[in-house]
Amino acid sequence: MRRFLLAFVLILAATSCITARPQRDTVTFATDSLRHPKAPGIPAYVVFAGDTVRLDRPDFQERLDRELLSFTYMHSTSTMILKRAPRIFAQIEPILRAQGVHDDLKYLAVIESNLDPRALSRAGAAGLWQFMKSAAATYSLEVSAEVDERYNIEKETAAACQYLKNSYRRYGDWMTAAASYNAGPGNINKAIAEQKQSSALDLWLTDETARYMFRLMAAKLFFEHPSDFGYDISEEDAYPAFKVKEEVIVSDAIPSLVDFALEHGTTYAKLRSANLWLIAPKLTNSAKKTYKIVIPE
């Protein structure tokens, strides 16, 4: 009798485990419904800076797919750059236009810095356009103990335009000019000579530079159709631009930027946020250079 009761209890326990399984299936289904949308498919071609890049090559398709997946599933980074974009693009688009650089080249700043104007790489590249100190000097960007114009959006964007225009004159297409921005003209020139090709898209390059060009194309697709990647950032979600109260032109020393800020009705913190290129609490300006300082509201 005891054996019979023990067997009966075991059967009941087993039955209760079996009936519990559908609840786990229900939980799994609920989790699946919250998954991020699938990455967009590969288009037949991408028009970048006026040039059509056909994607009928399997290697091109795979390289673009890698970057589309990156924008789709790197949720926090992709959301952040979409929120930053209205503020940053409003500042750099007019400069690109005035300098005669195609508007699509603004996406270079996206992949260089994620549109973070304070970006600083481990190698020491700084700002939206990630200039190294040596390149900054070449394009007349001051880098000193008190001033770092690699963080001056207006000046660094103009410098990037000059770099890109020089490269475009050398190579004849914006995609190769962009590749040279990443790899340096010396490396691109060497690869062109050794591999006997004229376009960077047809060169065997380092993985970083090979990705760079397709990441540019993916960035354009991402910003033109963010909903295809599963993102919906409204105007209210975007970070607002700094409202400018006035612009002060100075050519003398400023012993204390704290006092300078107070005199102009703002705080030192707000002044620094609006002028990231000011990297010290004073401006000695022994060379009597002329600077434009933004006073935020």
Side-chain angles (χ1 to χ4, degrees):
M1 185 66 177
R2 290 180 179 176
R3 291 180 180 178
F4 174 80
L5 289 174
L6 179 60
F8 182 71
V9 170
L10 291 174
I11 290 171
L12 283 176
T15 303
S16 65
C17 290
I18 292 172
T19 56
R21 286 178 183 169
Q23 294 181 354
R24 281 204 294 269
D25 292 340
T26 302
V27 172
T28 301
F29 178 79
T31 303
D32 289 345
S33 69
L34 297 175
R35 285 180 179 172
H36 197 278
K38 183 180 178 182
I42 308 298
Y45 61 89
V46 173
V47 178
F48 186 88
D51 294 334
T52 300
V53 180
R54 299 203 62 82
L55 299 166
D56 48 4
R57 285 171 44 176
D59 61 322
F60 279 14
Q61 294 172 6
E62 185 172 343
R63 288 160 71 182
L64 182 61
D65 190 45
R66 178 180 183 178
E67 307 311 327
L68 295 176
L69 289 167
S70 177
F71 276 105
T72 302
Y73 295 111
M74 292 182 64
H75 301 159
S76 59
T77 300
S78 295
T79 300
M80 191 73 73
I81 60 177
L82 284 172
K83 288 188 171 189
R84 289 170 176 161
R87 173 196 291 172
I88 300 300
F89 285 169
Q91 296 177 75
I92 67 177
E93 286 174 345
I95 301 171
L96 295 175
R97 191 160 51 247
Q99 293 284 336
V101 174
H102 198 286
D103 186 70
D104 283 353
L105 273 298
K106 67 188 177 187
Y107 300 120
L108 192 149
V110 172
I111 61 176
E112 283 288 340
S113 63
N114 290 327
L115 297 182
D116 180 3
R118 301 187 183 195
L120 179 65
S121 75
R122 292 180 180 179
L128 284 176
W129 299 91
Q130 290 289 279
F131 275 95
M132 298 291 289
K133 286 184 179 180
S134 57
T138 301
Y139 289 91
S140 302
L141 295 176
E142 180 183 349
V143 181
S144 66
E146 297 177 356
V147 170
D148 192 338
E149 291 183 329
R150 296 177 297 171
Y151 295 109
N152 184 314
I153 293 178
E154 181 178 342
K155 291 187 175 183
E156 65 170 320
T157 302
C161 286
Q162 289 303 310
Y163 185 106
L164 290 166
K165 287 196 294 186
N166 290 342
S167 295
Y168 183 78
R169 283 191 289 268
R170 181 182 294 118
Y171 303 116
D173 73 270
W174 287 116
M175 194 57 70
T176 304
S180 76
Y181 195 95
N182 176 259
N187 290 322
I188 297 298
N189 293 342
K190 181 180 178 182
I192 287 174
E194 292 178 348
Q195 299 176 37
K196 301 178 181 179
Q197 300 294 325
S198 59
S199 171
L201 287 167
D202 295 318
L203 295 174
W204 181 265
L205 300 166
T206 64
D207 185 57
E208 179 184 342
T209 306
R211 287 190 65 182
Y212 196 86
M213 296 176 285
F214 287 85
R215 189 155 178 77
L216 270 178
M217 290 186 274
K220 178 177 180 178
L221 295 174
F222 176 65
F223 275 93
E224 288 182 345
H225 304 286
S227 60
D228 291 350
F229 294 75
Y231 294 88
D232 181 17
I233 304 298
S234 67
E235 292 184 9
E236 292 76 16
D237 293 329
Y239 298 139
F242 287 110
K243 293 183 179 180
V244 179
K245 177 183 176 182
E246 62 176 319
E247 294 178 343
V248 179
I249 306 300
V250 299
S251 55
D252 294 319
I254 302 177
S256 169
L257 285 173
V258 173
D259 293 338
F260 179 85
L262 294 174
E263 289 167 5
H264 288 84
T266 189
T267 65
Y268 177 65
K270 291 179 181 178
L271 184 74
R272 285 288 301 272
S273 294
N275 301 272
L276 295 174
W277 55 276
L278 291 169
I279 59 173
K282 62 180 180 178
L283 184 63
T284 303
N285 196 13
S286 56
K288 300 295 181 181
K289 292 180 64 176
T290 298
Y291 299 99
K292 179 174 67 177
I293 300 179
V294 172
I295 308 298
E297 287 188 0

